[in-house]
Amino acid sequence: MLRAAQKLLTVAEAATLLRVSKPTVYRWAASGYLPSIQYGQPRVEGETRRGGAIRIPRSAVEELLALTDEEAA
């Protein structure tokens, strides 16, 4: 459960911090590698409009960055 004061990032913001592309963030979120929150109307199969928005908790991005820093050391 998210705390009310927790900072949420857009996919673009998370991609910038992680130095990866936006499609990579979407893949990581879909696979569960990067925790995410999806809200809004889900995309209906066959529809051309976009579905709900995805937000990434900043704490999850920071944890992932800490893991990569440890592996690099």
Side-chain angles (χ1 to χ4, degrees):
M1 185 88 169
L2 286 175
R3 295 186 318 257
Q6 187 168 13
K7 171 77 172 150
L8 298 175
L9 303 173
T10 63
V11 170
E13 292 169 336
T16 300
L17 289 172
L18 293 168
R19 296 182 184 173
V20 297
S21 67
K22 290 192 313 185
T24 299
V25 174
Y26 281 114
R27 276 195 314 273
W28 287 353
S31 71
Y33 180 69
L34 185 61
S36 64
I37 300 160
Q38 184 168 4
Y39 63 92
Q41 299 263 341
R43 183 170 183 228
V44 178
E45 191 66 36
E47 247 185 65
T48 57
R49 69 180 180 87
R50 291 176 34 178
I54 294 176
R55 294 295 181 261
I56 314 293
R58 185 175 184 89
S59 60
V61 172
E62 291 171 351
E63 287 175 18
L64 190 57
L65 287 171
L67 284 175
T68 57
D69 287 343
E70 290 174 5
E71 290 175 359

